[in-house]
Amino acid sequence: MRAYDRQDLLFQLWEVARLDEVIASEDLDREAVEGILDTADQIATDYFLPVGRQIDEEEPRFVDKRAVLPAPVKPAVDAFVQAGFIAAGFDPAHGGMGLPETVHQAAAFIFAASNVSLAGYGLLTVGAGRLIQSFGTEEQKRRYLAPMVEGRFFGTMCLSEPQAGSSLSDITTRAEPMEDGRYRISGRKMWISGGDHELSENIVHLVLAKIPGGPPGVKGISLFIVPKKREDGSSNDVTLAGLNHKMGYRATTNCALNFGDAGDCVGELLGEPHRGLGYMFQMMNEARIGVGMGATALGQAGYQSSLAYARERPQGRAPGAKDPTTAQVPIVDHADVRRLLLAQKASVEPALALALLCATLVDRERAGDASAAAVLGLLTPIAKSWPSEFCLEANKHAIQVLGGAGYTRDYPVERYYRDNRLNPIHEGTHGIQGLDLLGRKVLIDGGAGLRELSAVIRADIEAAADSELAAPLGQALERLARVTAHLAQAVQSDPERGLANATLYLDCFGHVVMGWMWLRITEAARSVAARDGDSDFLRGKHQAARYFYRRELVRTEHWAEILMDNDQSAFDMAADWF
Amino acid sequence: MRAYDRQDLLFQLWEVARLDEVIASEDLDREAVEGILDTADQIATDYFLPVGRQIDEEEPRFVDKRAVLPAPVKPAVDAFVQAGFIAAGFDPAHGGMGLPETVHQAAAFIFAASNVSLAGYGLLTVGAGRLIQSFGTEEQKRRYLAPMVEGRFFGTMCLSEPQAGSSLSDITTRAEPMEDGRYRISGRKMWISGGDHELSENIVHLVLAKIPGGPPGVKGISLFIVPKKREDGSSNDVTLAGLNHKMGYRATTNCALNFGDAGDCVGELLGEPHRGLGYMFQMMNEARIGVGMGATALGQAGYQSSLAYARERPQGRAPGAKDPTTAQVPIVDHADVRRLLLAQKASVEPALALALLCATLVDRERAGDASAAAVLGLLTPIAKSWPSEFCLEANKHAIQVLGGAGYTRDYPVERYYRDNRLNPIHEGTHGIQGLDLLGRKVLIDGGAGLRELSAVIRADIEAAADSELAAPLGQALERLARVTAHLAQAVQSDPERGLANATLYLDCFGHVVMGWMWLRITEAARSVAARDGDSDFLRGKHQAARYFYRRELVRTEHWAEILMDNDQSAFDMAADWF
């Protein structure tokens, strides 16, 4: 059994995300795209899915200052690399396959659903490599990017330090200029995913550090390329200080790294001095969309697993049909099990729609569409945070469908729940996403991004005027506009109180976006029905949308009330009152 | 550091639960009660709290058909037994200490907060022993109950079978009458907590089984005492077939047991034939309240752990105060961290109030108060389910406060989250609690329980007429009454559709009850302030109540709308549409 619904993925790609429009100008047709996804499916089925339990139970070990991974990790990652799924993320000019981001992300979804922690290495390498692709010198591209594209070198992003997690202005890692133009790096980094392993010939760390004498805070941060090994194969004085023992997501090592303990760690500046944080945000934004996709894939995997169980497991009878001599019914027949399944579907399918929409916006931005960039910027905190919160909730439901069985390692659903719990934390916590959205993104250019997004949503609503979803979505959108205007004002007059409910605003915004996704999905379903006839598959879309609107979208009314009050009940809680 | 807030526990016991009224007639004063809690605190501090990580990482092992537990389990359980915390749960007539249930539960809270999976053995033994105390013959009490009271024998409840989890009418374990009046037991039981271990001299299994020729379904279920070992120490043919590998709650073994594989398992009937399920419900109801207390204790432990971290961990600065040369602030100063902490407090404190209230109702019921029994019956599904759902959510927030650190095993919060995920599953799933509440409890005697409960709540509201909580709680209570009348009608006319939203009704009911608990807590806080003067501790109660009413109680408006529609969007989802 697959960990994802292939029929839904193809429907979402072609009918909802309209991939044909994205790839119209590319040398790629439907058959070629589906061939790529078939390859991803094959590798995921052969190498990712079967080893999930083993590589969770056998955690990475710290042995002689090295990270030692369980045996099945390397063959899986190798198969991923050899099939070109790292090269897929890079420009042909640098040896990449130049795949549209939408296709790349569809493949990423397949891998992440099949094992999210194995998929992490590719994600990080593509993200790091693209930074070098964007800002590196030709020489840096030759020495670092080329082997990353080939999948011989992997990449990391090194931001956090023990005293500076979310607060990057407080990093203290130093980069002292050397006479040859390179830098001597010293400092300690924390929470480095993929920070050590033996899966690749080398690891290219992209490290935030400060050049002495620069401005304080984030304005003094520069970005450095710091390989684990030098070109001659010798050590570059990057030491694995420890491995974190995580609740889940275990096959992606998570490391504490010391740079320059022996005073002999050498790095190269990437781009200009003091512009490191801005550069890193390119990678961060891509990683955030990737995190959202991973959370979505985990939600999907739990949904598929619990749905299969619910269809097969006989237990009990309907209320009022208690005759114990009749056969037990499959649990999917029980109302509350159906709710637990539908709640999952109602979250994971629009989350996939948003992830793929963001990928199409990346493709449009690459093709020079400036409005795509503004909308993408606004949607990025949503694409990261909403699945991290609500597809985690879906994974909670998946366990509940299985009952006691779901609480054991005999089924994967408890692992998905543990894996997914990371997603509201890394690449900017849920709270940080809220601050990014309300404190920055909606304010940029006087609210240009939101105006652009609202126009797009309104156009979809107008095109779907006869849909039962059109009116409630329109109202939700107006409500969001009012709330935004009100809070934007509050943020300007008092940033602390104005941002006190930024997380709730984030969730509220996210629910409206997911309502929009359901409109897009159901409109696509209507088109397909008109073309090919109705089907159970399409009926399910409408029913899930109805459920989402009735049970979830309405929550924005209650949230909007709290936000219009800008309720300070949490903010006014003094630290000593706890 | 303690895993619970002792000041709050004492405040809740004396000021909210009014323990002085409960123990008025007992030979027990405040000093004696607090001495008992001090003993619990000492054992919990010395034996429970320090071993949490070890006994989670070293799971019970299946060795030679025995369950082998990590080394620190036995000393901890021994200390618990030797201090009399099993005897505390039994009548003096049977060698017990006859402690009021309220004091017993307060001690249980301390142990569960300090390690819930170690606390499980005592809970199960008291529950099983009380069944023998209620329904056993003098001979059975002598042979089984007496050593259980002494803590030499432990107990279990054996209900589920591989083909019959929530559907007990489908159990197939057989009990064939023998010539000497005993029964030959054969069958397979699943999910048996404490089903095997070497912590006690013997294990007394209370087993649901069917005597051939009895009526089908639940009416043919009888209850049997089936010891692991016979009086001569020989095996009673109860075989450990396997251990479940659980996400959490690991020091409580969870077993598959085979009874009579060699045809030589002998049991004794407890009470009358065919009345087993009714008897077992005595234990189930106690266990359900115990599960709620465990969930509450885990919520409390996560809250304490994340609060301590938030007060100590410096990170970042307020929005608008970005000067990187100033010191970082403790994260409790950040609005969203304060929300994550206050959301925990707002859930775990009223959950404790409800658990203690239920314990006082047990004490009142024992003292012959019939109305206490009706209210307790109605509150039991709430006391079980609400903390299982919402204190789990609190544990999710605790992880979030710690960020990446919270996702590692270096801190206990990820373990609390894993431990707590069991609670919505065992002793009747969340969905089963909803069916119990809406399909049975609110309908009994034409709604007598709810009338009684409403009268109690209304009396509290009237006594607190000048409280800011009185009016919204009154409205919420009226809303609940309307919803209940509407759904009770729907259940009678169509049980399946009428019960389709039973889980939502359960949550809605639970929120109203928690709103009531906050009224009781804040009224107690006002009394204490009038007597002893105001304090930060008391101010925190009012602020947390405000937060709960503003953010949580209002959700009952939205839920009530769905329930008044009796929305069928999940029920109408056909199995083939997923």
Side-chain angles (χ1 to χ4, degrees), chain A residues 165 315 338 396 550 571, chain B residues 165 315 338 396 421 565 571:
Chain A
Q315 189 76 179
R338 234 177 287 171
K396 190 181 84 177
R550 191 68 190 91
F571 190 83
Chain B
Q315 189 76 179
R338 233 177 287 170
K396 190 182 83 177
R421 185 62 190 83
D565 279 359
F571 190 82

Side-chain angles (χ1 to χ4, degrees), chain A residues 53 59 161-167 169-170 191 216-217 244-250 303 307 311 313-320 324-326 328 332-333 335-336 338-339 341-342 345 389 392-393 396-397 399-400 403-405 407-410 414 417-422 424-425 429-431 495-496 499-501 503-504 536-537 539-541 543-544 546-547 550-551 554-555 558 561-562 565 567-578, chain B residues 53 59 161-167 169-170 191 216-217 244-250 303 307 311 313-320 324-326 328 332-333 335-336 338-339 341-342 345 389 392-393 396-397 399-400 403-405 407-410 414 417-422 424-425 429-431 495-496 499-501 503-504 536-537 539-541 543-544 546-547 550-551 554-555 558 561-562 565 567-578:
Chain A
R53 181 169 176 170
E59 281 181 279
E161 300 179 3
Q163 80 295 348
S166 295
S167 179
S169 70
D170 293 284
W191 311 119
N244 288 306
H245 297 285
K246 292 179 291 179
M247 174 163 49
Y249 229 104
R250 288 183 172 165
Y303 170 52
L307 177 58
R311 283 178 163 154
R313 167 76 177 167
Q315 189 76 179
R317 294 163 193 85
T325 62
T326 60
Q328 298 193 74
V332 68
D333 284 2
D336 198 51
R338 234 177 287 171
R339 173 189 67 87
L341 292 169
L342 192 53
K345 183 182 174 78
E389 182 72 20
L392 172 65
E393 187 75 8
K396 190 181 84 177
H397 294 332
I399 293 174
Q400 197 67 18
Y407 194 67
T408 71
R409 295 202 295 277
D410 293 341
E414 66 87 28
Y417 183 63
R418 288 187 286 112
D419 286 349
N420 220 348
R421 185 64 190 83
L422 178 59
I425 297 171
T429 65
H430 204 67
E496 245 186 305
L499 289 168
N501 292 307
T503 308
L504 186 63
D536 284 347
F537 174 81
R539 283 178 203 107
K541 303 300 178 202
Q543 195 65 25
R546 239 165 253 142
Y547 177 87
R550 191 68 190 91
R551 302 293 180 110
V554 287
R555 297 175 73 180
H558 151 54
E561 274 179 37
I562 296 169
D565 278 0
D567 170 51
Q568 301 289 309
S569 57
F571 190 83
D572 287 339
M573 180 78 182
D576 290 338
W577 296 2
F578 282 107
Chain B
R53 181 169 175 170
E59 281 181 278
E161 300 179 5
Q163 81 294 348
S166 296
S167 180
S169 70
D170 293 284
W191 312 119
N244 288 305
H245 296 286
K246 291 178 292 180
M247 174 162 51
Y249 228 105
R250 286 183 172 164
Y303 169 53
L307 177 59
R311 282 178 164 155
R313 167 77 177 166
Q315 189 76 179
R317 294 163 193 85
T325 62
T326 61
Q328 299 194 72
V332 69
D333 284 2
D336 198 51
R338 233 177 287 170
R339 173 188 68 86
L341 293 169
L342 191 53
K345 182 181 174 78
E389 183 72 21
L392 172 64
E393 188 74 7
K396 190 182 83 177
H397 295 331
I399 294 175
Q400 197 67 18
Y407 195 67
T408 71
R409 294 201 295 278
D410 293 341
E414 65 88 27
Y417 183 63
R418 288 186 288 111
D419 287 350
N420 220 348
R421 185 62 190 83
L422 178 60
I425 297 172
T429 64
H430 205 65
E496 247 187 303
L499 290 168
N501 292 307
T503 308
L504 185 63
D536 284 347
F537 174 82
R539 283 179 202 104
K541 303 300 177 203
Q543 196 65 24
R546 240 167 251 140
Y547 178 88
R550 190 70 189 89
R551 303 292 181 111
V554 286
R555 297 176 74 180
H558 150 56
E561 274 178 37
I562 295 169
D565 279 359
D567 169 50
Q568 301 289 308
S569 56
F571 190 82
D572 287 339
M573 180 77 182
D576 291 337
W577 296 0
F578 282 106

Side-chain angles (χ1 to χ4, degrees), chain A residues 454-527:
Chain A
S454 300
V456 175
I457 299 176
R458 263 196 297 270
D460 280 351
I461 291 172
E462 278 161 29
D466 59 338
S467 163
E468 61 184 306
L469 310 184
L473 181 61
Q475 288 154 16
L477 188 62
E478 279 171 34
R479 199 179 296 129
L480 181 64
R482 277 198 304 278
V483 165
T484 304
H486 180 73
L487 289 180
Q489 188 68 42
V491 172
Q492 319 253 309
S493 65
D494 180 343
E496 245 186 305
R497 288 188 178 272
L499 289 168
N501 292 307
T503 308
L504 186 63
Y505 175 75
L506 177 76
D507 290 342
C508 185
F509 199 125
H511 262 51
V512 175
V513 169
M514 291 301 147
W516 174 38
M517 291 301 106
W518 271 120
L519 181 72
R520 288 169 57 94
I521 293 168
T522 51
E523 286 305 287
R526 293 210 289 180
S527 299

